[in-house]
Amino acid sequence: MNNPGQIKVAVLVSGGGTNLQALIDSAAAGKLPHAKLALVLSNREDAYALTRAKKAHIETAVVTRAACGSQAAFEAELCRHLTEANIDLIVLAGFMSILSADFTARYPRRILNIHPALIPSFCGKGFYGLHVHEAALAKGVKVSGATVHFVNEIPDGGEILLQKAVPVRKGDTPETLQRRIMEQAEWKLLPRAVELVARDMAKKK
Ligand code: GRF
């Protein structure tokens, strides 16, 4: 059901979609009263996140860079879907494609991203997926964590909204550290950030 007090949210994904699942579960538990998960957009046809979205009866669409031919055409197609669905807020949840300055400028303070480290550590170009945790372990940091930030034209460079620290343990592998950061930080922070921003946006609507 459409609730007029709710902000329409699109979640952009590329992979497993555990962060999307955290949003779906939060919504089902009544923890996202100001946000409606209205659309899941994937740039990969085989993203398991799409299955999660369908199970939750959320509209889905697939837009691949290859099918579009150019970055500009790819982003135009993303925009078309976002506009058609009247999306107010975009959430990048494991979306493995860097968006151009043209795209981010269209949605100022309207795009959120979750990064699996404490920005400004281990962030920016090349720091995605397991690479982030490999770099953190190579440096020998004793805490890492996750950050939710607004997205601007600088990769991982927009205003920080929420952060949570997570301990690094002796014997950690990139995989074990990734999992702990997801469980203890990402899956909690992202729903909280979405509700915070949606509530603020709803006030101004
Ligand atoms: C997460 O670690 C997220 O922080 C990063 O990509 C990963 C996505 O995982 N941006 P999932 O698809 O949400 O499971």
Side-chain angles (χ1 to χ4, degrees), residues 18-61:
T18 62
N19 280 286
L20 167 67
Q21 191 65 52
L23 291 170
I24 292 170
D25 294 346
S26 290
K31 290 180 184 165
L32 299 182
H34 295 92
K36 176 170 174 61
L37 303 176
L39 176 66
V40 170
L41 268 179
S42 174
N43 67 340
R44 291 189 51 167
E45 272 168 37
D46 60 350
Y48 184 67
L50 290 167
T51 305
R52 296 181 190 270
K54 284 173 192 155
K55 278 190 189 156
H57 308 290
I58 302 171
E59 200 185 311
T60 60

Side-chain angles (χ1 to χ4, degrees), residues 128-145:
Y128 62 89
L130 280 177
H131 299 306
V132 176
H133 308 294
E134 279 160 12
L137 292 176
K139 188 69 190 173
V141 293
K142 304 301 175 212
V143 283
S144 189

